[in-house]
Amino acid sequence: MPRAPVSTPVLLPDAFTPAARRALVRADPILGTLFKTIGPFRFERSPLHSPFEALAHSIVYQQLHGRAAATIFGRVCERVGQGKGFTPQKLLALPDATLREAGLSANKLLAIQDLARKTVDGTVPPLARVRRMSDADLIEHLTQVRGIGQWTVEMLLIFRLGRPDILPVDDFGVRKGFMMLHGLKEQPKPKALLAYGERWRPYRSVVSWYLWRAADKPVGTFAPPEGS
């Protein structure tokens, strides 16, 4: 009996075709204004070589400005290893003081050590399995790690794995962009945005990207013309 073909997830930016754009505008006509104002979809996906490295990177960057976080993560890599040498086993072998000297706070040290242990025990799946797992399964698995919440996993899903149907409703920029687009006085509640965003399936990551761009626009950019 022939084996069933293995399904391969559709990845961004391949998901953003003219047909996808037309489908989104049919489902939600105001997106036409958003697309026209922001312009071409210029999504850039960062390579994912190791779930451990990517999540460690996310932990270090939490609540820090980019330059400071990059400096600290660079120091951590100097102590643990570069590239493929950045492994959970090497991190766990280091004394706490060595990692604290790199600039990690006490909470981030505990989080990155928990990430390393959960990578070793398989809670954080290896890369080959990560690529095959559903969005929901990845969120369920990875949020078991200390310091990794749903938003962090959603960023991994969009910007590292290129998953096309992610709507991070807790993200300030996404909610602000929606507020700007619709001319609202305040940002939508996450639950309300999640319900509204159902019409954007299966391209919610595409809309999220545009809403992030919309959040940076001046107030009134998306205001309807007078008399409309």
Side-chain angles (χ1 to χ4, degrees), residues 39-211:
F41 182 60
R42 301 189 185 280
F43 175 84
E44 293 184 9
R45 181 158 63 100
S46 301
L48 177 61
H49 303 298
S50 159
F52 171 67
E53 182 275 336
L55 292 170
H57 182 276
S58 296
I59 289 171
V60 172
Y61 271 68
Q62 287 171 359
Q63 299 177 324
L64 287 177
H65 291 295
R67 184 174 297 178
T71 298
I72 293 172
F73 190 67
R75 291 173 183 163
V76 171
C77 291
E78 288 172 0
R79 289 157 172 78
V80 178
Q82 302 287 341
K84 293 183 179 179
F86 191 86
T87 67
Q89 293 83 357
K90 288 184 178 180
L91 186 141
L92 291 171
L94 292 175
D96 290 3
T98 299
L99 292 169
R100 289 299 303 274
E101 289 168 1
L104 291 178
S105 67
N107 283 335
K108 289 188 178 181
L109 173 62
L110 291 173
I112 206 168
Q113 288 174 331
D114 188 53
L115 169 65
R117 285 190 290 270
K118 285 187 167 64
T119 301
V120 171
D121 72 18
T123 303
V124 175
L127 180 58
R129 186 180 171 205
V130 162
R131 294 194 188 281
R132 296 193 302 267
M133 292 174 69
S134 70
D135 302 336
D137 283 346
L138 280 170
I139 291 172
E140 180 183 354
H141 273 74
L142 300 182
T143 53
Q144 295 178 53
V145 177
R146 179 185 179 121
I148 299 292
Q150 180 163 326
W151 180 88
T152 299
V153 183
E154 289 169 338
M155 296 304 102
L156 179 84
L157 288 166
I158 296 174
F159 292 105
R160 295 294 190 113
L161 289 167
R163 299 293 177 87
D165 196 33
I166 305 298
L167 179 60
V169 295
D170 292 312
D171 187 275
F172 176 86
V174 168
R175 288 188 286 123
K176 181 183 177 183
F178 185 89
M179 177 186 73
M180 298 279 288
L181 176 63
H182 287 266
L184 304 176
K185 294 182 178 180
E186 59 182 26
Q187 295 183 13
K189 300 297 183 184
K191 187 175 181 180
L193 180 55
L194 185 65
Y196 185 97
E198 283 297 309
R199 69 196 68 190
W200 301 332
R201 288 183 180 272
Y203 304 112
R204 293 182 298 170
S205 299
V206 173
V207 180
S208 296
W209 185 90
Y210 273 96
L211 292 177

Side-chain angles (χ1 to χ4, degrees), residues 2-26:
R3 297 175 62 183
V6 177
S7 61
T8 302
V10 177
L11 301 178
L12 295 168
D14 297 334
F16 193 70
T17 63
R21 185 173 186 145
R22 289 193 296 270
L24 283 167
V25 173
R26 283 196 302 270

